[in-house]
Amino acid sequence: YLDPNVALEYAQKRLELSNQLNSLQTKVVAYRQLSRIYALMLNYEKAFEYKVLENIYTDSLNTENSVRKIERMKYEYELGKK
């Protein structure tokens, strides 16, 4: 059993690290953790706030991944034409 306050500290540190690394994936995980922790602490307003941020950054991550796939497909297509 982990104290929610300790879990909260670790999740906040993860968020800080994700900001330093500029890592969308780590940021999504941190927001998901913060949302769940605040829900467990019955702080539903904060839980909702972090859930919204998780969704926003998940969308950004999905868009980024889609752009990469399209660029790779273009490259492979152009390479195949030669």
Side-chain angles (χ1 to χ4, degrees):
Y1 171 76
L2 186 62
D3 179 359
N5 292 310
V6 173
L8 185 60
E9 281 182 49
Y10 281 109
Q12 289 170 333
K13 286 180 183 178
R14 176 176 283 215
L15 181 59
E16 288 173 24
L17 182 61
S18 73
N19 288 328
Q20 291 172 4
L21 298 173
N22 200 22
S23 169
L24 283 178
Q25 189 168 359
T26 305
K27 196 173 288 198
V28 167
V29 172
Y31 284 138
R32 182 179 304 128
Q33 288 176 332
L34 287 164
S35 176
R36 290 176 180 172
I37 293 164
Y38 278 115
L40 288 171
M41 297 171 80
L42 306 180
N43 186 338
Y44 298 115
E45 186 175 329
K46 279 289 214 187
F48 179 73
E49 176 184 327
Y50 283 109
K51 187 63 178 173
V52 168
L53 288 168
E54 175 194 348
N55 290 339
I56 289 169
Y57 281 95
T58 296
D59 287 345
S60 295
L61 185 59
N62 289 337
T63 299
E64 188 177 277
N65 288 337
S66 294
V67 167
R68 271 195 219 120
K69 285 179 186 177
I70 291 168
E71 290 299 319
R72 186 176 61 239
M73 290 170 65
K74 282 183 186 178
Y75 173 76
E76 290 171 358
Y77 173 76
E78 292 297 323
L79 192 62
K81 285 174 57 175
K82 293 181 180 180

